[in-house]
Amino acid sequence: MPDGSIRADASSMLEGARKGRGATSNPPVRFDRLALEAFDDGWQTLEDAFAELPPLPTTLTRDAARSAISWNSSPDIGFDRAVNPYRGCEHGCVYCYARPSHAYLGLSPGLDFETKLLFKPDVGALLEKELRKPGYVPRPIALGSNTDPYQPIERRMKLTRTILEVLERFGHPVTIVTKSAGVLRDRDILQRLAERRLVRVCLSVTTLDPKLARILEPRAATPERRLAALRALADAGIPTALLAAPMIPAVNDMELERILERGAACGVTRAGYVLLRLPLEIAGLFEDWLREHMPDRAEKVLSLVRQTRGGRVYDSDFAQRMSGTGPYADMLATRFRIAARRLGLEKRDGSELDCSQFSAPLLPGEGRQLDLF
């Protein structure tokens, strides 16, 4: 057997579905000049070692970030600033557009993204410092723009709650996007923010099929728990939204109307959708996932994806990266528009969040000093 074939076969032994994980592989970091490759020495040592792939544990590393707010000027995104207390996400959604960002840390966008997580222990203090800067102009801060603020480790770390406490003190508006029913833990803060028109919470529902959800997004809350969370939030007077995302051709796109109907029944007041995005390493990760879990329809899915991206698997152009182009993409957009109008879920501009209440609270001792004058 040629040397190259031996290397390819040995490398494939290291790949495959792992319990509780979304990605089936760990591609190399795109910035690295060198890459390690498994090699069988002819004694079948690799085959024996990886006959049954062991579960992968989650590890946490402190992130020595110097700022809390990240800024963007993308014309197709409805916010210009965000706070992300975590890098990487244990939910393990195979399609997650944030996966390529792990390469900037020297980690793989594959299994590393969902197992090697970074957390920002000082995110609350950093955020407060930035909000106090002279000339800061408030606009809604997005939580969950990159990785989920309520992923499983938040139960212990409570960094998202710390962020909300800071924003409440400053009277600063915030939007939240999550796949976790864990958002209900902070219902007390969210209710107070809602009374001041300072918050909107959006839950992402990709599918109503629990079996599909388990392999698509293995450590996220079940679809029914997410819908129950939407109902609980709406009943508490907290403005809610539903995001049917991503819509994956021939995988979950047939569920679009049913997802919106369930959301409307739970009290959601607005909705949105996003077509599957496959930038950088996600294209290969998603194809590996498809061939592992849906080998019978993999070619059909990939063909439809290319039809929405001008013959490629992805096009990053701002004008169409969220919705795609071509007949299939147009049909999906029409289906969403008709269903949203029928259910009263037409998307609005979000201007109802109130930025006028923003005010930096006095620091200890400031009030007493002013009383002297």
Side-chain angles (χ1 to χ4, degrees), residues 2-305:
D3 181 69
S5 299
I6 295 175
R7 290 178 183 271
D9 289 345
S11 180
S12 66
M13 296 174 191
L14 307 179
E15 302 178 355
R18 302 207 186 212
K19 185 176 181 181
R21 300 300 179 185
T24 59
S25 60
N26 215 35
V29 178
R30 62 182 179 277
F31 302 114
D32 286 353
R33 296 180 61 187
L34 299 175
L36 298 177
E37 187 172 334
F39 179 72
D40 196 318
D41 59 7
W43 294 98
Q44 296 185 316
T45 52
L46 283 176
E47 184 175 0
D48 293 341
F50 294 97
E52 293 186 10
L53 295 174
L56 287 175
T58 299
T59 62
L60 298 177
T61 303
R62 292 171 63 94
D63 185 345
R66 297 182 180 181
S67 63
I69 301 177
S70 59
W71 302 82
N72 83 84
S73 57
S74 301
D76 60 342
I77 296 178
F79 57 87
D80 66 354
R81 66 201 73 184
V83 177
N84 291 283
Y86 306 105
R87 301 197 198 193
C89 185
E90 200 174 6
H91 281 162
C93 306
V94 69
Y95 51 75
C96 182
Y97 63 83
R99 284 183 178 272
S101 65
H102 235 44
Y104 294 110
L105 306 174
L107 298 171
S108 173
L111 289 166
D112 282 354
F113 177 78
E114 51 195 280
T115 60
K116 297 180 179 180
L117 313 182
L118 282 77
F119 68 98
K120 303 174 183 177
D122 303 320
V123 67
L126 291 170
L127 175 60
E128 180 160 349
K129 181 179 179 181
E130 290 175 79
L131 296 182
R132 289 186 180 277
K133 287 183 177 180
Y136 176 82
V137 178
R139 289 188 62 186
I141 279 179
L143 275 178
S145 64
N146 197 49
T147 57
D148 202 305
Y150 287 100
Q151 59 179 287
I153 58 173
E154 169 63 15
R155 300 169 195 161
R156 176 159 55 97
M157 307 302 293
K158 300 182 180 178
L159 297 180
T160 297
R161 185 172 180 88
T162 298
I163 293 168
L164 292 176
E165 290 170 345
V166 171
L167 295 175
E168 182 182 19
R169 292 203 313 274
F170 279 75
H172 198 295
V174 59
T175 61
I176 300 172
V177 178
T178 181
K179 283 187 172 71
S180 175
V183 66
L184 294 177
R185 180 204 62 189
D186 295 333
R187 184 165 24 184
D188 55 335
I189 299 178
L190 298 176
Q191 279 184 297
R192 294 194 297 269
L193 289 172
E195 290 170 357
R196 300 168 62 186
R197 294 189 297 119
L198 292 175
V199 70
R200 180 170 63 252
V201 180
C202 176
L203 266 81
S204 173
V205 179
T206 313
T207 176
L208 300 175
D209 181 353
K211 293 182 179 179
L212 177 57
R214 181 175 290 277
I215 57 174
L216 258 181
E217 36 200 32
R219 297 201 178 192
T222 64
E224 289 301 323
R225 288 194 64 199
R226 288 180 234 176
L227 291 167
L230 281 170
R231 167 57 70 188
L233 292 168
D235 288 347
I238 300 164
T240 56
L242 179 145
L243 185 61
M247 286 289 102
I248 307 173
V251 174
N252 69 335
D253 58 338
M254 66 289 294
E255 299 186 66
L256 176 60
E257 288 84 357
R258 287 188 291 134
I259 291 173
L260 297 180
E261 288 167 0
R262 290 293 305 276
C266 291
V268 166
T269 57
R270 65 177 62 195
Y273 84 99
V274 177
L275 183 64
L276 176 70
R277 297 167 55 190
L278 298 176
L280 300 171
E281 294 92 346
I282 306 176
L285 288 166
F286 182 72
E287 182 174 351
D288 290 345
W289 177 89
L290 265 180
R291 298 194 185 284
E292 175 82 25
H293 295 286
M294 300 179 178
D296 58 326
R297 71 177 100 165
E299 292 300 332
K300 177 181 180 180
V301 173
L302 294 172
S303 174
L304 288 171
V305 168

Side-chain angles (χ1 to χ4, degrees), residues 76-77 273-275 277 309 317-318 320-324:
D76 60 342
I77 296 178
Y273 84 99
V274 177
L275 183 64
R277 297 167 55 190
R309 305 294 181 183
D317 182 74
F318 286 134
Q320 57 83 43
R321 63 174 179 166
M322 300 292 186
S323 55

